[in-house]
Amino acid sequence: MEEWVGKVWHKWVTHSVNYDYPQARVNLDEMRKTLGIVLRALSGDASLQIRQSVDVASDAPRSLMQRIAGTGLKTSAAWRDADSLNLPDSIAIFPQRELNREMYLWLTVLGSEEGSSVAAYGIRASSQSHHQRLLSAWRSLHPEATELPLNLIPPPNNPPSTIPVSLASPPPEAFPDSKPTATSSKRQRAERTDMPDGKSGLLMFRLESLFSWTEYTPVDRTTDNDDNDDAARAAEDMDVITVARDRKASSQKIKLDLDLPNAEYDDIPQGEGIPLPEWDYRKQRLLSNHCRLQVMLPRGAEALALPTHLQASAHKLRRRFEALQPRREWRNHQQDGAELDTDSYILHLTERQRGKVDMPMVYRDCREHGRDLSCLLLADFSMSTDSWVSNTSRVVDVVRDALILFAESLSATRDRFALYGFSSLNRQNVRFYQLKKFTERYDAQVRGRIMATQPGYYTRMGAAIRHATQLLEAEPSQQKLLLLLTDGKPNDLDIYEGRYGLEDTRMALQEARRKGLKPFCVTIDDKAEDYLPRLFGKNGWVLLKKAKKLPQKLPQLYALLTGR
Amino acid sequence: MALIMPHYQEQGQEVTLFEHAFRRQLPVLLKGPTGCGKTRFVEHMAAKLGRPLYTVACHDDLSAADLVGRHLIGDGETYWNDGPLTRAVREGAICYLDEVVEARKDTTVILHPLSDNRRILPIERTGETLHALPEFMLVVSYNPGYQNLLKGMKPSTRQRFVALRFDYPKPELEARIVAQETCVDDKLATQLVALANALRVLKEHDLEESASTRLLVYTATLIQDGFEPLAACRAALVEPLTDDSETVEALMEVVKTFFA
Ligand SMILES: Nc1ncnc2c1ncn2[C@@H]1O[C@H](COP(=O)(O)OP(=O)(O)OP(=O)(O)O)[C@@H](O)[C@H]1O
Ligand SMILES: [Mg+2]
């Protein structure tokens, strides 16, 4: 069996596949969810994803494209790599839909066996018969065939990890070529998303993660294809690019110093800047007035209707949350009320037997029981949220949708909530976007602000958390939930990267907890396990592996967290 | 008092630890996901130690009076009726409060003086203060996880207990449990456990919950009783995990790779 799977794995399919039966075509999109679940369950690896092989192919270096095109496999290649199973966008090789579906499932079972431990039991036996079934169906159509026309091929050169990163190319003498590093998943994300349109290539990947985190350097700066042009154009778009290099350090650092826009184009400041302290772990001391936070309204916000693509979800969520309206609650032991409270009445009788004569508190009354809860949602709008999560949306689009659906859901309840966003550019410019105050209603205006908030700059989390804490502290509720939505670590241009930023954020969260707040973090950074447990505690955060799911998941999470 | 000892498959040193705690009058906190054997463990230990067991499933309406007791109306008069906690304190029994974080806040006030070295239960309504018998033991459980973020246990409560963490048993142990509980053969038990572990990978990403040992036992019971395996898995393992029909069908595809 082992051997047989091995053969299948290594077999290149060289003849092109004809899409014979369009009426029975099954598209990957219809099956993506199912296949993803099967893949993750059988492989034992919860982080694996189903991807469309053609997407990857077109992202890949030219040589790969040619190889795939040359073998006629452009849309029918299927292979497994470290973090995904890549499948054709549709299958129509059988005249019955059911068999085409089976074909997808079969490829997924095969793909899950690669390096799996969980699969060891049971699957092998059943996959044999699964394969037999498909093969005999295929043979009845093509009697001369000896194998199925679709099989896994070896990963074509690991496309994602060898895509050159397009960067502003530095003067060659200052930067000798560095070898590509073992890629972190974050890097991969950056790399996959770097060139969808030539113009703004530079801004589209996770600058922050590449530049300001020493652990991700050295950066692969291979410059082939036509990156040079893109990079040059992108460089023109920048006001200043400072390239710093520390010869002594083992890794090189590059930082971009982005100027803030002119005041007349920038977001609109609200009130004076707010001075905030920051924790310096090296001195073990809180530096007072170290940061300045500016509350701002996003420029150009106009009242907006609920975006059409969210209407169905919003409707569903509202219905669900309305059903969870505060319960009417019976209060016992009242002086006056609608019904007799038997328990209190008996107590009253007992006391009387003992000769105590009290005011009879023997009624129960029904009152609306508001939940004594305020929630502040704080969303990271730093530049990294400008990177792409799919062909059509960036992180920031997902975050905006999430904010809107969150607000839709919560406004169907009576829980008090506020929405803010933040980013930063050095300690003097912590930008705090006021999207919805606790006292404001959620309406078209709020939606406008959410949609008008632009991603940019860095992530000085500590300051933003401290101000959010102040706002929550002023709330009258008993329970205060601080929900942080982010896609990465704290960082900023200055010392705030690495340990310093993490320690300050940790301190800000400790202060919040001391003030009775419950902080909770929702992240889409798949490296979060490395640092979030230390900041939020083991049960104080969740990772959403599929960023696109965030808008749907966030209200659900809120319901779970608050015990609805 | 339990006459037969419910079977419990030990996973680590929990039995010995519990015995020590009982002897030295230390309260015990059990943490762990649903259906992993917490209740079974307590039942087993109560029988083993020969103590009666009072189990209370806590919920958000459970008040102090439900634990301590209340006055009832009798023959023209009212009389006092002990709650389960009071009874356990008087009789020297084990009192097990399941999902203790669900209970109303006023209940923790009662638990504090009982769970430190005072071991007393003041009954406000009768003016009595009970001193627990040496055999009295308080056991509470809760399911840590972010669902309980807001409810959580206060450190001052949690730090009164010796804590034991439970989780779904290792595959060989879990298979043995399933086989013993239901009399299915080892092969089927192993297969079911492998399937459950495949489904557990999906926790938090595709599913909110993990398939519990309890569900495995249910599934095995149905199969043992002659119900068709695929349908048994659907009814006892898959449908209880999610309401989303697309996810159900996807999980069934996983099931089919185990039970073709
Ligand atoms: N270690 C074990 N030994 C024997 N049976 C076990 C064991 N673990 C689990 N079981 C089986 O699983 C079933 C469920 O376990 P139990 O009721 O103790 O779960 P629990 O942890 O108390 O769950 P909950 O938190 O939902 O109350 C038991 O009835 C028993 O059949
Ligand atoms: Mg139980």
Side-chain angles (χ1 to χ4, degrees), chain A residues 238-269:
Chain A
M238 298 284 168
D239 287 0
V240 192
I241 298 183
T242 18
V243 179
R245 182 171 175 234
D246 180 355
R247 279 185 183 279
K248 276 170 259 160
S250 61
S251 61
Q252 299 144 347
K253 285 190 199 172
I254 307 169
K255 282 183 179 176
L256 293 178
D257 202 344
L258 309 171
D259 267 1
L260 287 168
N262 229 322
E264 63 185 291
Y265 301 114
D266 198 5
D267 299 316
I268 309 147

Side-chain angles (χ1 to χ4, degrees), chain B residues 7-11 14 32-41 43 96 98-99 141 143 166 169 177 180-181 212-215 217:
Chain B
H7 167 252
Y8 177 76
Q9 173 69 52
E10 190 168 24
Q11 295 184 43
E14 64 270 29
T34 182
C36 68
K38 300 185 295 291
T39 301
R40 176 59 68 89
F41 172 63
E43 286 168 355
Y96 176 42
D98 206 355
E99 281 298 332
S141 77
N143 184 353
F166 281 68
I177 293 169
Q180 252 156 358
E181 291 285 304
S212 63
T213 309
R214 177 185 297 123
L215 287 183
V217 170

Side-chain angles (χ1 to χ4, degrees), chain A residues 283-451:
Chain A
K283 299 184 183 144
Q284 288 290 302
R285 193 157 69 79
L286 206 58
L287 312 173
S288 55
N289 299 337
H290 195 69
C291 300
R292 196 176 138 277
L293 177 142
Q294 181 64 59
V295 178
M296 305 180 124
L297 282 179
R299 181 167 296 273
E302 291 166 12
L304 278 184
L306 184 61
T308 35
H309 71 282
L310 295 179
Q311 273 168 11
S313 310
H315 183 71
K316 255 200 349 230
L317 283 165
R318 274 184 158 277
R319 286 256 301 275
R320 221 194 111 202
F321 276 77
E322 266 160 20
L324 303 168
Q325 275 288 353
R327 288 170 299 167
R328 287 163 67 78
E329 186 173 79
W330 286 99
R331 302 220 175 177
N332 292 331
H333 207 60
Q334 304 294 311
Q335 240 182 68
D336 205 352
E339 284 182 18
L340 194 66
D341 168 11
T342 337
D343 203 29
S344 304
Y345 182 61
I346 296 169
L347 184 66
H348 175 71
L349 291 183
T350 316
E351 306 275 80
R352 265 240 309 264
Q353 278 167 26
R354 290 206 204 135
K356 233 163 114 185
V357 189
D358 268 347
M359 167 94 87
M361 307 270 280
V362 296
Y363 294 97
R364 57 204 298 258
D365 201 20
C366 195
R367 282 188 213 152
E368 197 129 286
H369 173 60
R371 280 213 312 171
D372 212 5
L373 176 74
S374 298
C375 174
L376 189 151
L377 180 59
L378 180 60
D380 177 353
F381 274 92
S382 61
M383 180 156 45
S384 56
T385 61
D386 208 359
S387 59
W388 295 82
V389 291
S390 70
N391 283 335
T392 48
S393 53
R394 293 166 303 166
V395 175
V396 65
D397 300 318
V398 175
V399 168
R400 287 184 186 135
D401 286 357
L403 287 170
I404 289 183
L405 287 189
F406 184 80
E408 288 285 330
S409 309
L410 265 79
S411 52
T413 72
R414 290 198 199 156
D415 295 353
R416 293 173 59 82
F417 71 104
L419 307 172
Y420 291 88
F422 77 100
S423 62
S424 67
L425 185 59
N426 282 323
R427 64 192 172 95
Q428 290 303 328
N429 297 293
V430 181
R431 302 160 67 88
F432 204 75
Y433 305 106
Q434 177 183 303
L435 307 174
K436 177 193 170 301
K437 295 195 278 189
F438 278 113
T439 48
E440 271 173 326
R441 265 181 33 158
Y442 164 70
D443 57 11
Q445 209 67 48
V446 171
R447 279 191 294 268
R449 283 182 217 144
I450 294 174
M451 298 314 278

Side-chain angles (χ1 to χ4, degrees), chain A residues 33 40 46 101 126 350 353, chain B residues 78 146 205-206 244 253 257:
Chain A
K33 179 167 179 180
R40 287 184 286 275
R101 258 180 63 92
S126 86
T350 316
Q353 278 167 26
Chain B
T78 66
Y146 56 80
H205 191 198
D206 300 291
D244 180 62
E253 293 297 346
T257 64

Side-chain angles (χ1 to χ4, degrees), chain B residues 44-229:
Chain B
H44 173 82
M45 291 311 300
K48 188 160 190 210
L49 297 167
R51 303 313 307 162
L53 175 66
Y54 291 97
T55 300
V56 183
C58 301
H59 50 81
D60 52 6
D61 266 343
L62 186 96
S63 66
D66 294 322
L67 290 178
V68 175
R70 48 166 50 89
H71 289 282
L72 298 176
I73 303 185
D75 203 7
E77 267 190 341
T78 66
Y79 66 97
W80 175 259
N81 183 42
D82 279 345
L85 182 64
T86 310
R87 236 172 289 157
V89 166
R90 286 193 212 274
E91 293 171 22
I94 296 177
C95 183
Y96 176 42
L97 306 180
D98 206 355
E99 281 298 332
V100 71
V101 288
E102 296 290 341
R104 287 221 303 242
K105 284 215 186 66
D106 62 336
T107 55
T108 53
V109 181
I110 311 173
L111 298 183
H112 279 198
L114 252 186
S115 48
D116 53 33
N117 54 12
R118 287 173 285 171
R119 290 177 52 96
I120 53 169
L121 177 64
I123 307 178
E124 198 198 323
R125 289 187 169 188
T126 62
E128 232 179 323
T129 295
L130 299 181
H131 289 264
L133 289 186
E135 294 82 11
F136 167 77
M137 182 174 187
L138 183 63
V139 183
V140 303
S141 77
Y142 92 113
N143 184 353
Y146 56 80
Q147 289 88 336
N148 279 327
L149 176 80
L150 288 180
K151 290 180 212 144
M153 244 179 153
K154 281 198 303 194
S156 61
T157 308
R158 195 169 28 195
Q159 295 204 12
R160 292 178 137 74
F161 292 86
V162 173
L164 255 174
R165 173 179 294 276
F166 281 68
D167 210 335
Y168 301 120
K170 289 201 200 68
E172 315 80 62
L173 278 188
E174 195 170 28
R176 204 181 306 161
I177 293 169
V178 172
Q180 252 156 358
E181 291 285 304
T182 62
C183 306
V184 295
D185 60 44
D186 289 346
K187 180 165 170 285
L188 178 63
T190 312
Q191 215 170 352
L192 277 171
V193 169
L195 170 59
N197 281 315
L199 298 182
R200 283 170 191 161
V201 172
L202 303 172
K203 166 98 195 286
E204 269 162 43
H205 191 198
D206 300 291
L207 285 173
E208 309 288 354
E209 298 159 45
S210 289
S212 63
T213 309
R214 177 185 297 123
L215 287 183
L216 278 188
V217 170
Y218 287 179
T219 312
T221 307
L222 289 176
I223 298 175
Q224 165 71 8
D225 206 46
F227 198 51
E228 197 253 309

